Amino acid sequence: EKGGYDYFMLKEIAEQPKAVADTLLGRIDLAGNLCLDEVRIPASVLREVSKVVIVACGTAYHAGMIAKYAIEHWTRIPCETELASEFRYRDPILDQRTLVIAISQSGETMDTLMALRHAREQGARVLAICNTNGSTIPRESDAVLYTHAGPEVAVASTKAFLTQLVACYLVALYLGQVRGTKWGDEILSVIRELSEIATQVDEVLETMEPVRELARTLADKNTVLFLGRHVGFPVALEGALKLKELAYMHAEGFAAGELKHGPIALIEQDVPVVVVVPSPRGRSVLHDKIVSNIQEIRARGARTIVIAERGDETVAPYADHLIEIPATPTLLQPLVATVPLQVFACELATARGNEVDQPRNLAKSVTVE
Ligand code: F6R
């Protein structure tokens, strides 16, 4: 049942190219238009949406954080992403023109379910992004876009996360397409690039041996820090979460721009810091800022583990370890940048003798609040 892998997690990491391709399947026509008729919210309603609110927990919340960047950029609709467990307790402002997106692999997470119930009581429309057919969250939503990751058995979410991202991009691009924005051309080209993503995830998986070797050398460390900017920030949070749950190590993710506001005090000799570097093409200002962040932490002794686009020569001199990923549009980079972090956490867990598929104290689906 583990298909020759030692752990379900390894199997599920390896299945990601297929999972991503399956989630795209049938949702883009030959002309490059999105066909999301299955999302039974009429285009006329989507055109009137004045605010998007995303609710989710854990890894799904990180997907939602990334979705915020995509939705605001491509649609210009204000979007907030909130932890489902915080949402209803602060009396959020919702109405008929609010589109709430609830993201959940299991479809049974109680916090997310309670958040969506609250949203519907206030008159908002709820779209679920879910991996489990017929589960409670999609049943209680106005519409659903299923991710086609297949069953995810390992407690730590991997392929579900990548497909949640794909689904979020599809929704963001669809909203952009339905409403018409100045990014029409960019939307078409991103849709084309999405079709390449499965191959690129596969390329990343082919090059993971050095990441596994590196992970094994860090098994006795107490702390690993993760830095990112823009969509690399939620990727950093996800890398840290994976490491906590699997390796039981102290791990924290930061927005790189926040370093000087506090976290830089944590940098001392030899502390491993994983940095997710945006493409040097595209929004190069993001790239240049993070290169100087890497220089700052390296000057203070950090051991830098840099995830950067292949051929990014400006950053290479500051990387103690360089993990190269394929070039993608800025907003899509999390689809390839997350994969090495999954492999890294899984390998560290193994090196520390932990139970990879069943981390201590955790359950696959959290059906209590
Ligand atoms: C992390 C992880 C959890 C889940 C969270 C939400 O690897 O698996 O953080 O992402 O409990 O679960 P779902 O997506 O089922 O609502």
Side-chain angles (χ1 to χ4, degrees), residues 275-278 280 287 290-292 294-295 298 304 306-309 311-324:
V275 191
V276 184
V277 179
H287 176 268
I290 213 156
V291 172
S292 50
I294 299 174
Q295 289 172 271
R298 207 158 178 266
T304 57
V306 174
I307 301 180
E309 194 170 294
D312 180 349
E313 280 164 16
T314 39
V315 81
Y318 310 109
D320 294 311
H321 306 273
L322 184 62
I323 301 170
E324 291 185 311

Side-chain angles (χ1 to χ4, degrees), residues 57-60 103-109 112 137 155-157 164 238 241-242 245 364-366:
C57 304
T59 289
I103 309 175
S104 174
Q105 188 286 128
S106 62
E108 301 296 345
T109 300
T112 310
I137 287 172
V155 166
S157 186
Q164 283 161 356
E238 174 63 7
L241 178 63
K242 282 282 144 328
E245 51 180 348
K364 181 66 185 162
S365 122
V366 184

Side-chain angles (χ1 to χ4, degrees), residues 211-354:
V211 173
R212 283 189 280 269
E213 274 168 35
L214 169 65
R216 290 194 287 272
T217 67
L218 300 175
D220 60 352
K221 293 282 179 195
N222 296 320
T223 292
V224 182
L225 304 177
F226 294 78
L227 290 181
R229 234 174 218 277
H230 191 254
V231 291
F233 168 42
V235 172
L237 295 178
E238 174 63 7
L241 178 63
K242 282 282 144 328
L243 204 61
K244 283 174 209 165
E245 51 180 348
L246 292 159
Y248 317 149
M249 290 166 86
H250 171 237
E252 263 192 88
F254 300 108
E258 276 293 294
L259 258 184
K260 55 186 173 301
H261 301 292
I264 200 162
L266 291 170
I267 306 293
E268 56 188 10
Q269 199 57 39
D270 259 356
V271 60
V273 186
V274 180
V275 191
V276 184
V277 179
S279 166
R281 309 160 299 118
R283 270 154 263 179
S284 59
V285 55
L286 289 173
H287 176 268
D288 299 350
K289 288 249 158 76
I290 213 156
V291 172
S292 50
N293 293 140
I294 299 174
Q295 289 172 271
E296 282 158 16
I297 56 170
R298 207 158 178 266
R300 290 163 177 81
R303 183 158 156 199
T304 57
I305 302 166
V306 174
I307 301 180
E309 194 170 294
R310 188 173 306 127
D312 180 349
E313 280 164 16
T314 39
V315 81
Y318 310 109
D320 294 311
H321 306 273
L322 184 62
I323 301 170
E324 291 185 311
I325 54 175
T328 61
T330 304
L331 282 161
L332 300 189
Q333 198 201 45
L335 287 166
V336 289
T338 305
V339 176
L341 302 179
Q342 301 167 340
V343 172
F344 183 72
C346 186
E347 190 68 25
L348 262 162
T350 314
R352 289 163 68 94
N354 297 352

